[in-house]
Amino acid sequence: MVDLLSNRADAAIWVQGQWLRLMLRAVVPLLIAAVFLALLSARLGAMDTAAVAQALSGVAPRQWAGALLMTAISFWAVGHYDAVLHRHFATGLPDATTRRAGICAIAVSQTLGLGIITGAIIRRRMLPGQPLGLAVQLTAAVALSFLAGWVVVTSVVLLILPETPFKPLAMAVLAVTLGLFALAMIAPRWGFRWPNSFTLGRLIALCAVDTLAAGAAFYLLCPDSLLLTFPTVLPAFLLALGAGLATGTPGGLGAFEVTLLALAPIADPGPLLAAILAWRLTYYALPALLGAAVAIKGPQLTECAGRAVPCPPPVPARAELGLQAQGTLTRQAVGEGSWLAGRSGHFLIALLDPTPGATVQGLMAAAKAESRLPLLYKCSARTAVAAKAAGFCPVLIAREAWLSPQTYDLAAASRAGLRRKLRRAAAAGVTIQHGTNLPWPQLDRIAAIWAAAHGGERGFSMGRYSRDYVARQRVYVAWHLGQPVAFASFHQTEQEWALDLMRHGGSLPDGTMHSLIQAAVEDATREGVRRLSLAAVPEAAFGKSAHSHARLLRTLTRDDGAGLARFKSAFAPRWQPLYMATSHRAALPFAAAAIARVILHPPPIEQDHADYEFASALHPWHRQG
């Protein structure tokens, strides 16, 4: 009973604390507004209010019409803020729905104040079926992105226009902006998914349209008697807008007026105040009323559920789909089919070939919905041809070695070198064992030695050692003098096996690794497996004629593949060409760098896709189960 009372008391204290924070958030902006209104009142002094009213009534219809047009352009950009960020969050909602929600939310929240709270409430109303947390995060992201965009746009204006203040500060801001764009190109793995350069560029461009249109709306409402030019008004307007944003008051009330009156080169503040009142009616009051009306009506019924994410059909038996167990690859639904896909900062990377029903055009649409470029990696010639027809630029990057166990003949003349390797291993006393009772401590040690000698484990399209991951596979262990010295693992399905990990210690008898693969081939033959893949070898390993981007990929991944090519050639396999392709030729070097990065610097296997999230909302590829 005492514990229960204590818990209730703690809960009551927590609720009181939340209410106190909410009250402070509501009261502080009002207090700030009151202070600025007092300063404004002192600034205006004994100004003739009748003259202000007369100046307001003197605004011509053409001025009202021009200001309304500029306001419409500004809110067009405002709506696209939400569309861009929904793509960044990969919510899967239609652009028309997100734009309407964004326009309503900003129109109401910028007038009422408490932007995070009121904006989240309106977005939640206009996006039914979506979690409240997503609405809050969208609202915060819109506010932060607009503030950052305002800083950049204002800095550019201050640098370009003559006789403006704060030029050194503006130069410093632009230098920081370039640094942020560099981060966006790198796409660092932090606690949230850093916006890529596509997202940042669009947000800044939209902010430029938004703020310049808002400034033009204000300028069009200024009386002709002020004799002001747009280049004179714009810097003062942008700085005043920033002052209003910094205070957090409803519509920047008080701070906007005081700052604008202080910066504008005028003697009589009356006409300028009339323009401010007209602008507030046009840019704040009218949009707030329209936004509230649309929010009260609610979304259209066809928009309530958002974009459906189709459930992919059963995937054909491709053994390499076992790479999904590492957590960095998922099945991306595309039309009626799916693709094994992963993500980097700027690319949606589709691995191998798709299932029936998935098209390259569908992959392009899926990438666009996430503000990424589509990238095919290790696809077959058939898929590369389809991609080229869709406007992609395919590049030969690798060859996959594969065997047909049912027709495999060790006695073939082409495998004479393999037979010599096997005899040497047998003479040294190497034995191969397969089973589920694996010597895990020794395998851990072997994997650690291999990783230390090769610069760490690879990822993405290559397997990484962990007990849970390897336990899902078919594993062969090589023993010598009573100790494990090497092992190999295979993804497996009923019709196909695919070589994944090959790990060995510091020294081992010649032919040991060949014996591991040969044991697997013999088992595959007995079990009726039709195809056994020995995995891919970089195209550059086969000669100097490889495409420049294939050579770049080899250089970035620090693997020329020459040793692998010699090793796999001993089995006299068939070689299947594999391609990389993206929708823009200029993007190929960046695609190669992105592939190299996800291979050389993968996230931990035991992860929950946090590297691909900026919000905590589930992405469509998470909803597939």
Side-chain angles (χ1 to χ4, degrees), residues 313-518:
V315 178
R318 285 304 307 270
E320 282 187 87
L321 290 175
L323 288 166
Q324 293 179 88
Q326 296 185 101
T328 54
L329 296 169
T330 56
R331 284 170 56 196
Q332 171 72 40
V334 177
E336 297 180 356
S338 66
W339 230 300
L340 184 64
R343 289 158 177 83
S344 68
H346 292 79
F347 293 95
L348 174 61
I349 308 171
L351 189 64
L352 309 176
D353 291 333
T355 65
T359 63
V360 175
Q361 290 82 356
L363 181 69
M364 296 171 67
K368 182 179 179 182
E370 300 177 15
S371 292
R372 289 183 168 96
L373 291 177
L375 171 60
L376 304 180
Y377 182 59
K378 292 176 66 175
C379 67
S380 67
R382 182 177 182 179
T383 300
V385 169
K388 187 173 183 179
F392 278 54
C393 303
V395 174
L396 179 63
I397 58 164
R399 301 183 194 180
E400 180 189 12
W402 66 277
L403 305 169
S404 176
Q406 303 310 308
T407 60
Y408 179 85
D409 183 8
L410 179 59
S414 58
R415 298 186 175 98
L418 173 62
R419 293 193 295 272
R420 287 194 297 271
K421 291 287 187 179
L422 296 177
R423 286 195 296 269
R424 290 174 184 174
V430 174
T431 58
I432 308 299
Q433 293 183 1
H434 160 65
T436 57
N437 187 19
L438 298 174
W440 288 113
Q442 292 91 333
L443 299 190
D444 294 342
R445 181 179 57 82
I446 292 171
I449 293 173
W450 184 93
H454 291 80
E457 294 275 0
R458 306 297 196 258
F460 189 68
S461 59
M462 304 172 69
R464 289 168 287 158
Y465 177 81
S466 76
R467 290 190 180 186
D468 290 341
Y469 178 68
V470 173
R472 301 168 179 261
Q473 301 180 318
R474 189 179 187 97
V475 183
Y476 291 84
V477 180
W479 293 75
H480 182 244
L481 302 179
Q483 292 294 325
V485 293
F487 68 92
S489 70
F490 291 79
H491 301 295
Q492 59 178 342
T493 65
E494 184 178 349
Q495 298 297 326
E496 181 185 35
W497 293 1
L499 177 63
D500 188 19
L501 302 181
M502 288 198 301
R503 299 291 185 264
H504 55 80
S507 61
L508 68 166
D510 187 25
T512 300
M513 305 307 294
H514 296 79
S515 299
L516 285 169
I517 305 302
Q518 178 62 27

Side-chain angles (χ1 to χ4, degrees), residues 187-230:
R189 293 190 180 105
W190 290 347
F192 58 91
R193 182 168 65 87
W194 185 265
N196 62 29
S197 58
F198 303 138
T199 299
L200 286 181
R202 288 167 184 159
L203 290 174
I204 291 176
L206 289 170
C207 184
V209 174
D210 177 14
T211 53
L212 294 178
F218 174 77
Y219 173 73
L220 290 173
L221 293 169
C222 290
D224 295 336
S225 60
L226 290 177
L227 301 176
L228 295 174
T229 62
F230 185 63

